[in-house]
Amino acid sequence: MKPLASYILAFILLLGPTLPALADSENTTDKSGELTVPWDEFKTLLNLDDDKVVISLETFQKLLAQTGVKYTPAHTIKGGNIVLSKTEFENLVDRMKAPIDGATDRPVDYLITKAIYDGKMTAGSTAFTASFKVHVLKESSYIKIPIVPTAVPLEDITVDGKQALVINESGFHTIVLSKAGEYTVKAAFSLASSLDKGPNKLDLSIQPTPITLLNLKMPLKDIDVEIPQAQQVLTTSSGNITTIRAAIASGRNFSVRWRKKIAPTEKIPAKLHAELYHLMSIEDGAMVITTDINLRILHSEIDGIHLSIPESLNVLSVSGEGIGDWQETARENGALILVPFTYGKKGVVTIQVTSEVPSTETGLANVFSGISVDDVVRETGFIGIVLNTSAEVTVAESMGLEIVPAQKLPQQIANKSTKPLTMGFKYLKHPYSLVLDVKKHDKMAVPVATIDAANVVTLFTEDGKIVHRLVYQVKNSAKQFLQIRMPADADVWSVLVDNQPVESSVNGDGELLVPLIRSRQNGNSMEAFPVEVIYCMVENKFDWLGKRQSTLPAVDLLISQVMWSVYLPNDYTYHHFSSSLEIEQMVRGVNIFSGAGRKYDEKVMRELSRTDASELGALSPDKLKEAYGDMDYESEFRNIPMPAEQLQSQVMNEVQFSGRMEGFVRGGSGSIGSGVLPIQIQVPTGGQVYRFARTIIKSGDPLTFEVTYSRYWAVGLLKWMLILVVAAIIWLNKRKFGKPWRLIKEKVQAAVDLVRKHESAIRSAGKSTLMPFVLFGLMIVSLTFSTALTVLFLLLFWVSAAYHIRNYLRKRSSGTAKGVAAK
């Protein structure tokens, strides 16, 4: 019973708020909210004397949620309550998780929210009493709190008026506290200072706090006080005492500086110095000038400036910090611009002015005489020229200007241009002028779109159908349509752009217009997107002997590289290929009797076509070779360096082509995406694939191929006919052929006789143990002049070596047998 009672008590502590209220008049509740229940009533409440425990459904659900079990324990329902066995109840209590201590959610262990530095300066030092408001959040644990840096000579430190426990750690005087709560920490220290000798400043390192206040009394009068770390400094004087109050920005130090007030003098008129930085951009139709006017205003504040503008210059905008609405007034030989300030300005002021000089009709004698600032002591400036057009610019005349290399112009001008500067000038005073001749040239059109690669797959069926799948990798910045010059009898099946079906159209010249999208920008380059067109043509079916040819449609874009795979039916021998493209190495030349064919396995190809597009690149070479009849699936080209990734891409297009054709055969609008019309065509169960390639294809370059073919049985018949013809010729001319035969027979017989004559010497030499070494030496020597002799001597070397090894083993076994017999 006691273990169960322990479980019940734990359960009550964890789920007490969910239990029914016990409002018995005999029960008592203390001020802390704890409920006291007599033990007998507690046992009656939960039926501890029974073998069952009864709890409400709500309590049962909360108990399951807190224990985290993923199954429902065995229980029964009685009167709307849950009845559990003691064993099941104990198991649930064992699984209960203790509530998370809210203290673990605290953001920090302590906070210093406010610091007040009260100081009083005397002749040789300044005494400070610093008060800190400290909040300790961590409970039941000692905690270290840094108060002031160790560089500050500490005199005393207290916590709530009591002496504090203090240590030096990590560069700070650090107090130690043991309980959570709010504390007031006061630290007393002094800093050396002087009222008579300079420098007149006081520096103090502090602990950063959100609120930092300074109250400082100085035995000085008629002083100006500056605290760089404070937004506002308030000073009050009483007799010879000046009191300073300031709110310090959060940081690790502050500095108080003071000086005697200077008696006001007569106001001196302002003096202006100006430096102008002009960037002149040569555009189509105008010279656009961006000018930075750097003013240095001395002595007094001013409310604005006047700019003199020459007649040839049009001001477009005037901007800058604290610049009001500018006003332009016409005057003789130009204009006067008033640039008002929204408040009085002194010191360094920068104004940006944008203006332009319209180009003359001929482009010659474009004059720039600059912007001048009125009422300045001195004005200097620099001019940088940048070309933003294809025009040619030359300096026709200049006055009051010094030529400066463009790379030596101030960085302020170079930073305003994204293009390199072409010319540079410097002037020291007005007036000056620069006359430029701008000669326009005809602009050369550059392509706004291009095709990085074209992957083409063409399928010839035995009954005469030709299916083309064209995939162009297009980069486009502004072109609206891709124009494809389709054959007149072409039947277009589908057009996709970026793998999405699109509505194409036909122009008056019969060209297919494919709407293009704009390429996505990737850094400084554009990403290519695919344009796919599938169309079909019908011609005569394959005969037992003949030719087949095909021409790819021309496009109005430059193609960097094209790969063309042609699928041809089985049961044919393909003797000769001719093409305007490079033919792969395996089928170059003429193949009369046996054409080199790369057959593909339609079953394996369709399995590969069902592979996810993202996984096609990871297919093993062995699997691809299996799809191509265990032949090498890659192609070699003699004159075109074809990258491996381009070949791989073409193979993937061939695999996907098989899947495309399967989709057409199945039909249905959902087979390969909307926009593709279902159509029934005959797809071959096997075939041969050949590849062609070419680089740099212009719009007018033809892309064609032609192949001469015949049936297999025709090639076999030709072979037998040739054999019979040769045999008949030999039979009919046996007398003529008999003489060479007899001559060969005599030569062979002479060689046999020679061997028989010297048979003993040959046998003796062959049995010599030096023979393998002699033959090996002859083989090495013959390497330099004859491959045939090298092979012959190598063969004789192995025969001789095998003979001597066999002879050695035989003698060894014979000697061993004799030794055993003698014993």
Side-chain angles (χ1 to χ4, degrees):
M1 183 61 66
K2 289 184 179 180
L4 178 60
S6 301
Y7 289 120
I8 296 298
L9 288 174
F11 169 71
I12 290 297
L13 291 174
L14 291 168
L15 293 178
T18 67
L19 293 177
L22 300 177
D24 195 301
S25 58
E26 296 181 3
N27 300 336
T28 60
T29 305
D30 62 13
K31 295 181 180 180
S32 63
E34 296 180 355
L35 180 66
T36 304
V37 181
W39 175 247
D40 292 337
E41 292 187 14
F42 181 73
K43 289 194 299 179
T44 303
L45 175 66
L46 293 179
N47 296 325
L48 296 185
D49 292 334
D50 297 336
D51 292 332
K52 304 292 184 181
V53 176
V54 180
I55 57 178
S56 68
L57 177 61
E58 182 183 2
T59 300
F60 179 63
Q61 291 174 343
K62 291 184 177 180
L63 178 60
L64 289 179
Q66 190 167 348
T67 56
V69 296
K70 296 182 180 180
Y71 67 95
T72 302
H75 64 279
T76 59
I77 301 176
K78 182 178 180 181
N81 294 325
I82 302 299
V83 180
L84 295 170
S85 66
K86 291 182 178 179
T87 303
E88 289 293 346
F89 182 77
E90 291 173 359
N91 289 337
L92 283 178
V93 175
D94 284 337
R95 297 170 186 263
M96 291 174 69
K97 300 175 181 177
I100 300 175
D101 184 8
T104 59
D105 296 333
R106 59 180 176 271
V108 292
D109 291 340
Y110 68 90
L111 294 169
I112 303 178
T113 58
K114 186 176 183 181
I116 302 175
Y117 294 88
D118 293 312
K120 186 176 181 180
M121 183 179 292
T122 59
S125 65
T126 301
F128 278 98
T129 299
S131 299
F132 301 90
K133 189 65 68 176
V134 178
H135 299 266
V136 177
L137 306 181
K138 189 174 183 181
E139 298 181 359
S140 303
S141 177
Y142 285 98
I143 186 168
K144 300 175 182 179
I145 303 174
I147 299 298
V148 292
T150 53
V152 175
L154 193 64
E155 296 176 357
D156 190 21
I157 187 167
T158 61
V159 177
D160 290 341
K162 299 180 181 179
Q163 201 68 34
L165 297 177
V166 60
I167 59 174
N168 290 338
E169 188 174 84
S170 302
F172 278 87
H173 296 299
T174 304
I175 63 171
V176 179
L177 301 176
S178 61
K179 295 180 181 180
E182 181 180 324
Y183 299 89
T184 299
V185 179
K186 292 188 176 183
F189 54 89
S190 297
L191 297 177
S193 59
S194 175
L195 297 175
D196 303 327
K197 298 183 297 183
N200 296 331
K201 68 175 184 176
L202 178 67
D203 296 321
L204 178 61
S205 298
I206 61 174
Q207 170 76 294
T209 52
I211 301 174
T212 306
L213 304 178
L214 171 66
N215 299 317
L216 178 61
K217 293 183 178 181
M218 303 178 63
L220 297 171
K221 64 178 181 178
D222 298 330
I223 60 173
D224 290 328
V225 179
E226 179 184 355
I227 302 177
Q229 295 78 13
Q231 293 293 328
Q232 186 177 10
V233 178
L234 300 178
T235 59
T236 58
S237 298
S238 178
N240 291 330
I241 302 297
T242 299
T243 302
I244 302 167
R245 291 182 176 85
I248 309 298
S250 181
R252 295 192 173 275
N253 58 73
F254 66 83
S255 177
V256 181
R257 302 171 186 175
W258 65 92
R259 65 177 179 271
K260 286 286 185 180
K261 286 184 177 180
I262 301 175
T265 59
E266 183 179 355
K267 191 173 183 180
I268 301 176
K271 291 186 178 181
L272 277 71
H273 295 261
E275 290 183 350
L276 279 69
Y277 301 92
H278 304 279
L279 175 65
M280 183 182 297
S281 175
I282 310 300
E283 311 279 351
D284 291 330
M287 298 186 301
V288 179
I289 301 97
T290 305
T291 304
D292 286 351
I293 303 175
N294 288 357
L295 299 174
R296 187 175 290 106
I297 305 171
L298 305 177
H299 305 315
S300 302
E301 295 180 349
I302 62 175
D303 297 326
I305 62 170
H306 290 85
L307 302 177
S308 295
I309 307 298
E311 187 176 6
S312 61
L313 196 68
N314 297 326
V315 175
L316 305 178
S317 67
V318 179
S319 61
E321 174 67 26
I323 303 299
D325 294 334
W326 55 282
Q327 301 173 8
E328 183 174 355
T329 304
R331 66 180 184 181
E332 187 179 358
N333 298 327
L336 181 67
I337 289 183
L338 169 63
V339 182
F341 299 155
T342 56
Y343 56 90
K345 286 182 175 286
K346 182 180 177 183
V348 177
V349 178
T350 300
I351 302 173
Q352 291 84 32
V353 178
T354 303
S355 58
E356 69 173 9
V357 176
S359 297
T360 60
E361 292 183 2
T362 61
L364 305 178
N366 298 282
V367 180
F368 174 69
S369 54
I371 300 172
S372 64
V373 183
D374 292 356
D375 302 325
V376 296
V377 176
R378 184 165 60 92
E379 177 186 325
T380 59
F382 293 86
I383 302 173
I385 298 178
V386 63
L387 293 178
N388 282 318
T389 180
S390 58
E392 180 184 357
V393 179
T394 57
V395 178
E397 182 183 342
S398 66
M399 180 192 72
L401 294 173
E402 177 185 345
I403 298 176
V404 176
Q407 61 271 22
K408 291 188 177 181
L409 287 171
Q411 197 65 30
Q412 188 169 348
I413 295 180
N415 291 341
K416 296 167 71 67
S417 174
T418 58
K419 292 185 177 181
L421 304 177
T422 58
M423 304 179 192
F425 301 91
K426 176 183 179 180
Y427 69 90
L428 299 178
K429 63 180 180 179
H430 280 277
Y432 70 88
S433 66
L434 177 64
V435 182
L436 299 177
D437 288 345
V438 181
K439 298 179 182 179
K440 297 182 180 179
H441 302 290
D442 294 335
K443 293 185 177 181
M444 181 175 293
V446 295
V448 296
T450 184
I451 298 176
D452 272 359
N455 298 97
V456 184
V457 180
T458 299
L459 169 68
F460 283 83
T461 64
E462 196 170 355
D463 61 356
K465 294 184 180 69
I466 307 174
V467 181
H468 296 273
R469 179 176 182 246
L470 315 174
V471 180
Y472 302 107
Q473 299 296 331
V474 180
K475 289 182 177 179
N476 179 40
S477 62
K479 189 172 175 60
Q480 187 175 2
F481 293 99
L482 173 64
Q483 300 179 18
I484 305 177
R485 198 172 300 119
M486 303 292 292
D489 56 348
D491 184 12
V492 179
W493 287 355
S494 75
V495 180
L496 288 87
V497 175
D498 201 19
N499 301 317
Q500 299 297 323
V502 296
E503 294 183 1
S504 56
S505 56
V506 179
N507 63 11
D509 297 330
E511 296 176 326
L512 181 68
L513 301 181
V514 180
L516 299 177
I517 62 175
R518 187 173 180 178
S519 294
R520 288 179 289 271
Q521 200 74 20
N522 185 9
N524 293 327
S525 63
M526 292 187 296
E527 294 182 356
F529 58 88
V531 174
E532 177 184 313
V533 178
I534 298 179
Y535 69 94
C536 176
M537 300 176 63
V538 179
E539 296 183 357
N540 296 329
K541 66 178 183 179
F542 275 65
D543 208 341
W544 68 274
L545 177 66
K547 291 184 177 181
R548 270 291 186 269
Q549 64 180 5
S550 182
T551 301
L552 294 181
V555 297
D556 63 337
L557 292 179
L558 177 71
I559 303 176
S560 298
Q561 195 169 67
V562 63
M563 279 282 289
W564 188 4
S565 298
V566 178
Y567 284 74
L568 296 170
N570 282 328
D571 301 329
Y572 292 88
T573 297
Y574 301 97
H575 304 292
H576 178 255
F577 289 88
S578 61
S579 176
S580 61
L581 292 82
E582 175 83 7
I583 305 171
E584 65 175 316
Q585 193 69 24
M586 66 178 291
V587 289
R588 290 179 69 94
V590 179
N591 302 292
I592 297 178
F593 294 110
S594 59
R598 183 192 290 110
K599 299 182 179 181
Y600 70 91
D601 189 321
E602 183 68 15
K603 181 178 179 182
V604 177
M605 190 69 79
R606 290 193 178 186
E607 290 178 358
L608 294 180
S609 69
R610 296 187 184 99
T611 305
D612 188 82
S614 60
E615 300 176 0
L616 283 176
L619 292 175
S620 65
D622 293 339
K623 190 67 175 178
L624 291 174
K625 286 184 68 175
E626 182 183 353
Y628 289 94
D630 291 328
M631 290 190 64
D632 189 1
Y633 62 90
E634 295 183 343
S635 299
E636 292 184 6
F637 296 92
R638 179 182 297 178
N639 300 316
I640 297 179
M642 189 62 61
E645 56 271 16
Q646 180 70 9
L647 288 171
Q648 185 76 3
S649 175
Q650 184 66 11
V651 172
M652 294 305 104
N653 274 277
E654 294 171 9
V655 172
Q656 293 173 347
F657 178 78
S658 180
R660 284 286 196 204
M661 294 300 99
E662 184 180 3
F664 280 119
V665 171
R666 290 176 182 173
S669 61
S671 58
I672 57 176
S674 61
V676 180
L677 298 177
I679 187 169
Q680 298 291 337
I681 66 170
Q682 178 186 352
V683 178
T685 57
Q688 305 176 39
V689 59
Y690 303 95
R691 301 192 185 107
F692 309 87
R694 185 172 172 179
T695 58
I696 314 300
I697 302 96
K698 294 184 178 180
S699 180
D701 294 345
L703 297 174
T704 63
F705 100 98
E706 184 180 72
V707 60
T708 303
Y709 68 90
S710 67
R711 281 278 190 178
Y712 279 155
W713 62 262
V715 176
L717 178 61
L718 179 62
K719 289 180 181 179
W720 283 109
M721 290 177 63
L722 288 176
I723 292 173
L724 291 176
V725 169
V726 171
I729 292 173
I730 293 174
W731 175 257
L732 294 175
N733 297 275
K734 57 185 178 181
R735 291 185 178 181
K736 293 181 180 180
F737 287 106
K739 184 175 180 182
W741 173 254
R742 286 192 296 273
L743 180 62
I744 293 173
K745 186 176 180 180
E746 290 175 359
K747 293 294 184 182
V748 172
Q749 187 61 43
V752 171
D753 293 342
L754 180 64
V755 171
R756 287 177 178 175
K757 180 179 179 181
H758 302 284
E759 183 177 1
S760 59
I762 292 173
R763 288 181 178 276
S764 176
K767 293 179 180 180
S768 172
T769 55
L770 294 177
M771 182 54 66
F773 302 98
V774 173
L775 293 172
F776 185 78
L778 292 173
M779 180 190 70
I780 297 300
V781 172
S782 62
L783 277 172
T784 59
F785 59 88
S786 175
T787 304
L789 284 177
T790 301
V791 174
L792 176 62
F793 286 132
L794 177 63
L795 179 61
L796 293 175
F797 165 75
W798 283 114
V799 171
S800 177
Y803 168 78
H804 285 286
I805 292 172
R806 180 174 175 273
N807 192 32
Y808 169 74
L809 294 176
R810 182 182 295 174
K811 288 181 179 180
R812 183 176 178 183
S813 60
S814 176
T816 303
K818 289 181 180 180
V820 172
K823 291 181 179 180

